[in-house]
Amino acid sequence: MSEQYIQLNSHSTSLIIKLHPAPEIVYWGKLQPKLSDEETQQMALVQSRAVPQARIDHDVPITLCPELGRGSFGSPGIEGHRLGKDWAPVFEYHSHQKNGNEISIESIEPMVGLKLVVHLKLDEDSGVLSLRLELINQASVPYQLDKLVVTMPLPYHAKELESYTGRWSREFQPQRQLVEHGVYTQENRRGRTSHEYFPGCLVGGQGFGHQCGEVWGFHLGWSGNHHWRLEAKSDGRRFVQFGELLMAGEMSLSAQESYSTPELFASYSANGTNGLRHANHAYVRENLLRFGQEQARPVHLNTWEGIYFAHDPDYICEMATQAAEIGVERFIIDDGWFKGRHHDKAALGDWSLDTNKYPNGLTPVIEHVNQLGMEFGIWVEPEMVNPDSDLFRAHPDWLLATDGYVQPTGRYQYVLNLQNQDCFNYLFRCLDELLSQHNIGYLKWDMNRELVQPSHQGKASVHGQTLAVYRLLDKLVTAHPKVEIESCSSGGGRIDYEILKRTYRFWSSDCNDALERQTIQKHMGVFFPPEVMGAHIGPQCSHTTRRQHSINLRGLTALQGHMGVELDPVKESDGEKSRFAQYIALHKQYRELLHSGRSFYLDSNDPGRNVYGVYNETSILITVCQTAMPDYMLPEPLLLDMVEDNAVYAITLVDYPQSSLSLMKALPEWMQASTEGQQVRIRGALLKSFGLQLPVLDPEAAMLLEITAISQ
């Protein structure tokens, strides 16, 4: 292929970049054969765009960084200036380096002394595309950068957008709209990834579903402020842009200084959102996870909803004893263990053990937990400080705040400035001593408030604070490589690929209401595999919604994530503990499949039905969850598109709500046979074309099926 174009292929997708006049993606989608030189010349002919009347007299490409100075009147990829000048750069391709499926493309702007480098990699196995832009100031005068974003073109028919809003205890709420003309934009200024606006979206053909339709997925790996937009231009072309949202004056580049955007991760599917799940999960597992697939994710018990701040070592040891009896593998003491921490209004920042609560220290509790065969974990919130704390009284200057203004508290606490080296060193020392002096295998790292007027040395500094958080985590991981860290931020407030590079799991939401979790986990799961999705069985009465759900719904909802439980086993009845033990054992039985297989959802005509699961070459595990009253008296059959036509499968009804059986005068024959212990054998072609008939389920109930290939 000539130097005018570069083509990259993964196992499933192709990417073609036109280099001149500046890097422009001209194709990204289904796998294409490698273009010959002759075909490249032909493509140059067919890719040449018309120039319409009443416009400037030459073609204007949508490059990876569109410039207003070139006549691109959509949203520019770069905005900045030098004391009001050099504000409309025009970059021209200069050179590129290619190493396999990884490319760096340099463009220069000699008039204003800027160099722009596109760093791009197409993952060969998953087909996930990662991109970032790097801007270098080559002039002697500082350059004030206000905006630098990655721009990705989309085809004309990609007009339906799925984005995600939310709030505390209700993350990953989907919303869809058609974007025929104009702009949809999202901005997050909260200083963390946020509950409200997840930095990701899907764009596809109208009506794309789980199993059908072309769809493109985007996620910005960044834990600070962000913005993105989907724009449909007046000429019909459309694109998405993703990048860090820089605050006023936040990014000034001195001579030879550079700024790099966060990585944008993009994926493509010709077969609905399931294709994106497969691509994203494969990419995360291969490139981001800090644990191997052979390492089983331990079942948790977290003490928070069991005892809150009421810490008593003897009682906690009894909790641990009973936790081990129901199958828990990791026991975590949550908030309340450090000095003066009797409620949420004091003591954050004073990271030393409360010897009044723990007169013999923490070691006897840890040893008891370890002797029961469980790993010990503990909660911390290092980035925060309460006004009522020894740390704040000694170092009020360590706040992340703007001088002269009253910093509002959030959740009765302030944010510490981790860019202050003394503050950074103090926090690392506290955490290092905690982990060095105790056999702690796990940290639940919380971050419970937004940033307000975050300044460092008088300038806006969300960017610097975000990088400082990464540095603190990196330094701690280097010092204690065997300690696992969970990213928790009032639940799902800091969930993104960049923080995942340093952590092992997310606390998906503070809400353990199984009905709410059905939505949260469904849409979080487009981007993140089940093994990093903290999913706990809560008590019968939810602490956040006050709704009550059966153990059937609670257990099966938590099954297909990284399972844990939130309870005080000492106070629970033997019957309730046995039911918790049942679902913990069920999770362990299928854990290897759940945490390594291909996740999927099935399209359904009933909006109140979720059908989802995971499969590999020999097994399929399917959950059917009825979240609301069924639309029809008989549900649609379960059609399985992942089975092999000529294989024979055994169908096992693993778990189902007994109460729902009373809604049927007669069960489907396969189900009746399964409940009577008979083996049900069905050829794959029948499962694919005719499917399994299902019973009507009560609202807020679920059933679990196992489908296993027994012959080919």
Side-chain angles (χ1 to χ4, degrees):
M1 185 176 289
S2 74
E3 288 298 296
Q4 175 69 357
Y5 294 92
I6 296 175
Q7 180 176 354
L8 301 180
N9 283 351
S10 73
H11 293 324
S12 56
T13 60
S14 291
L15 179 79
I16 301 176
I17 303 169
K18 183 181 178 183
L19 296 174
H20 299 277
E24 172 191 9
I25 292 176
V26 296
Y27 179 84
W28 173 37
K30 294 179 184 178
L31 182 64
Q32 300 293 329
K34 200 74 171 178
L35 297 177
S36 66
D37 289 342
E38 181 181 357
E39 289 170 326
T40 300
Q41 293 173 2
Q42 294 172 355
M43 192 178 75
L45 291 173
V46 301
Q47 284 286 323
S48 176
R49 287 178 288 264
V51 178
Q53 289 285 356
R55 297 291 176 94
I56 58 176
D57 298 334
H58 60 81
D59 176 60
V60 179
I62 299 177
T63 67
L64 283 159
C65 183
E67 309 105 321
L68 186 61
R70 193 184 293 277
S72 180
F73 298 119
S75 174
I78 182 171
E79 293 180 347
H81 62 92
R82 289 192 180 92
L83 301 176
K85 299 180 179 181
D86 298 341
W87 62 275
V90 179
F91 292 94
E92 299 288 340
Y93 166 80
H94 178 260
S95 64
H96 72 274
Q97 293 183 331
K98 183 175 181 292
N99 181 15
N101 267 14
E102 193 166 358
I103 305 175
S104 294
I105 307 171
E106 289 190 3
S107 300
I108 59 172
E109 220 298 7
M111 293 286 291
V112 300
L114 293 174
K115 179 166 71 172
L116 182 69
V117 185
V118 177
H119 299 278
L120 183 150
K121 183 177 181 180
L122 181 65
D123 186 66
E124 190 170 357
D125 293 328
S126 68
V128 170
L129 180 66
S130 56
L131 312 93
R132 64 181 177 90
L133 302 181
E134 182 183 8
L135 185 71
I136 301 99
N137 179 19
Q138 297 184 312
S140 58
V141 179
Y143 181 80
Q144 180 62 51
L145 179 64
D146 298 326
K147 171 187 174 184
L148 186 65
V149 295
V150 178
T151 303
M152 294 287 293
L154 289 165
Y156 283 68
H157 66 273
K159 59 177 62 177
E160 185 162 355
L161 168 70
E162 179 170 298
S163 58
Y164 307 97
T165 183
R167 61 173 176 82
W168 173 74
S169 275
R170 204 162 188 260
E171 298 84 344
F172 286 98
Q173 302 299 304
Q175 53 185 1
R176 283 204 181 191
Q177 49 268 314
L178 291 177
V179 181
E180 298 276 11
H181 298 278
V183 173
Y184 180 91
T185 187
Q186 174 177 296
E187 295 184 345
N188 170 50
R189 292 180 171 84
R190 295 176 179 268
R192 58 181 176 180
T193 321
S194 93
H195 302 77
E196 288 75 13
Y197 298 119
F198 176 71
C201 71
L202 312 180
V203 188
Q206 189 170 350
F208 69 86
H210 299 304
Q211 298 169 275
C212 60
E214 277 196 302
V215 58
W216 289 260
F218 304 92
H219 168 57
L220 188 73
W222 182 244
S223 309
N225 291 341
H226 72 263
H227 59 151
W228 64 264
R229 75 192 269 135
L230 168 63
E231 181 167 339
K233 292 165 62 70
S234 62
D235 61 19
R237 290 182 294 169
R238 50 192 59 228
F239 61 86
V240 293
Q241 290 180 327
F242 273 82
E244 180 182 8
L245 178 61
L246 295 170
M247 308 299 281
E250 190 169 13
M251 189 57 58
S252 179
L253 301 180
S254 300
Q256 300 306 316
E257 271 196 316
S258 65
Y259 166 80
S260 181
T261 66
E263 272 192 292
L264 175 63
F265 299 88
S267 49
Y268 164 79
S269 169
N271 302 300
T273 58
N274 282 341
L276 298 185
R277 290 176 190 273
H278 300 162
N280 292 336
H281 294 187
Y283 182 85
V284 168
R285 285 167 174 165
E286 184 63 29
N287 296 279
L288 302 184
L289 295 190
R290 302 181 61 84
F291 53 87
Q293 291 294 308
E294 72 286 347
Q295 186 176 349
R297 314 306 302 135
V299 175
H300 286 200
L301 184 143
N302 187 287
T303 64
W304 177 243
E305 290 190 5
I307 60 172
Y308 293 102
F309 296 102
H311 285 227
D312 174 85
D314 293 335
Y315 191 86
I316 288 173
C317 285
E318 181 57 28
M319 289 178 69
T321 297
Q322 297 196 28
E325 291 172 355
I326 63 173
V328 170
E329 298 164 309
R330 177 183 281 158
F331 186 86
I332 301 141
I333 289 182
D334 209 283
D335 197 358
W337 59 269
F338 47 100
K339 67 174 184 178
R341 188 65 167 174
H342 310 301
H343 46 70
D344 60 356
K345 297 182 180 180
L348 278 178
D350 300 339
W351 299 108
S352 58
L353 187 68
D354 190 327
T355 55
N356 291 321
K357 293 181 180 179
Y358 294 89
N360 298 317
L362 201 55
T363 297
V365 176
I366 296 174
E367 289 178 345
H368 179 75
V369 169
N370 294 158
Q371 288 166 3
L372 293 166
M374 297 185 294
E375 184 179 78
F376 180 82
I378 201 164
W379 177 95
V380 292
E381 193 177 2
E383 298 158 69
M384 302 295 160
V385 63
N386 287 122
D388 183 9
S389 67
D390 293 344
L391 180 65
F392 179 75
R393 285 183 282 271
H395 295 288
D397 55 316
W398 284 6
L399 289 195
L400 186 66
T402 299
D403 291 343
Y405 293 88
V406 176
Q407 172 70 198
T409 55
R411 292 183 56 141
Y412 314 109
Q413 59 198 45
Y414 296 129
V415 182
L416 291 167
N417 183 2
L418 272 64
Q419 299 153 97
N420 180 310
Q421 194 60 45
D422 290 337
C423 178
F424 182 99
N425 293 341
Y426 166 79
L427 292 174
F428 175 76
R429 184 171 64 253
C430 289
L431 296 169
D432 182 53
E433 289 178 356
L434 176 66
L435 297 177
S436 298
Q437 294 171 7
H438 302 94
N439 185 23
I440 295 173
Y442 175 85
L443 280 183
K444 181 180 178 182
W445 185 300
D446 215 340
M447 191 279 192
N448 277 318
R449 62 155 288 183
E450 297 93 348
L451 311 186
V452 180
Q453 286 192 314
S455 294
H456 176 62
Q457 298 177 346
K459 294 183 178 181
S461 198
V462 178
H463 177 83
Q465 179 75 2
T466 307
L467 294 181
V469 171
Y470 293 157
R471 285 196 302 273
L472 182 57
L473 283 164
D474 289 342
K475 187 172 182 179
L476 196 66
V477 168
T478 299
H480 302 278
K482 295 184 179 180
V483 175
E484 294 192 10
I485 300 175
E486 172 181 1
S487 175
C488 175
S489 186
S490 294
R494 191 152 68 188
I495 293 178
D496 61 79
Y497 283 4
E498 191 63 31
I499 202 73
L500 183 57
K501 293 177 183 178
R502 298 156 172 87
T503 54
Y504 285 73
R505 89 194 293 251
F506 297 111
W507 183 224
S508 312
S509 178
D510 278 350
C511 185
N512 280 313
D513 181 310
L515 192 60
E516 295 295 334
R517 278 295 187 123
Q518 280 286 323
T519 297
I520 293 167
Q521 294 172 191
K522 177 179 183 179
H523 298 286
M524 180 181 174
V526 174
F527 303 92
F528 301 93
E531 60 267 34
V532 302
M533 186 190 305
H536 290 193
I537 309 174
Q540 183 175 10
C541 180
S542 167
H543 286 218
T544 53
T545 66
R546 304 300 185 265
R547 275 196 296 235
Q548 297 194 42
H549 289 123
S550 69
I551 190 66
N552 160 261
L553 182 66
R554 288 180 284 142
L556 290 187
T557 298
L559 183 79
Q560 298 199 38
H562 182 182
M563 182 181 271
V565 295
E566 299 271 335
L567 82 161
D568 178 359
V570 177
K571 295 177 182 175
E572 295 293 349
S573 67
D574 289 342
E576 183 74 351
K577 283 187 288 188
S578 70
R579 288 186 282 271
F580 272 83
Q582 171 192 344
Y583 286 97
I584 290 172
L586 201 60
H587 175 77
K588 291 179 180 179
Q589 178 182 344
Y590 294 112
R591 178 164 52 190
E592 183 178 353
L593 171 62
L594 291 167
H595 292 173
S596 64
R598 292 164 69 94
S599 296
F600 66 89
Y601 273 72
L602 300 185
D603 291 314
S604 176
N605 289 307
D606 182 354
R609 185 173 89 155
N610 286 335
V611 182
Y612 57 92
V614 63
Y615 68 95
N616 60 19
E617 293 79 5
T618 59
S619 298
I620 309 168
L621 197 66
I622 299 179
T623 300
V624 180
C625 179
Q626 193 67 44
T627 61
M629 278 291 287
D631 275 356
Y632 306 104
M633 289 294 292
L634 287 174
E636 63 187 295
L638 201 61
L639 300 172
L640 305 180
D641 61 1
M642 72 288 295
V643 297
E644 297 293 333
D645 287 351
N646 295 322
V648 176
Y649 294 86
I651 316 296
T652 305
L653 184 59
V654 179
D655 189 69
Y656 57 92
Q658 294 287 338
S659 60
S660 286
L661 301 185
S662 64
L663 298 173
M664 298 278 95
K665 292 180 180 178
L667 294 174
E669 288 191 19
W670 73 266
M671 188 173 173
Q672 185 65 46
S674 183
T675 60
E676 294 171 357
Q678 301 176 37
Q679 188 181 64
V680 178
R681 299 157 58 103
I682 302 176
R683 191 162 64 88
L686 298 179
L687 291 172
K688 185 179 292 185
S689 300
F690 298 96
L692 286 175
Q693 295 289 340
L694 296 177
V696 173
L697 292 177
D698 282 325
E700 303 178 17
M703 60 189 298
L704 183 68
L705 309 177
E706 182 182 13
I707 301 174
T708 306
I710 55 177
S711 68
Q712 295 292 331

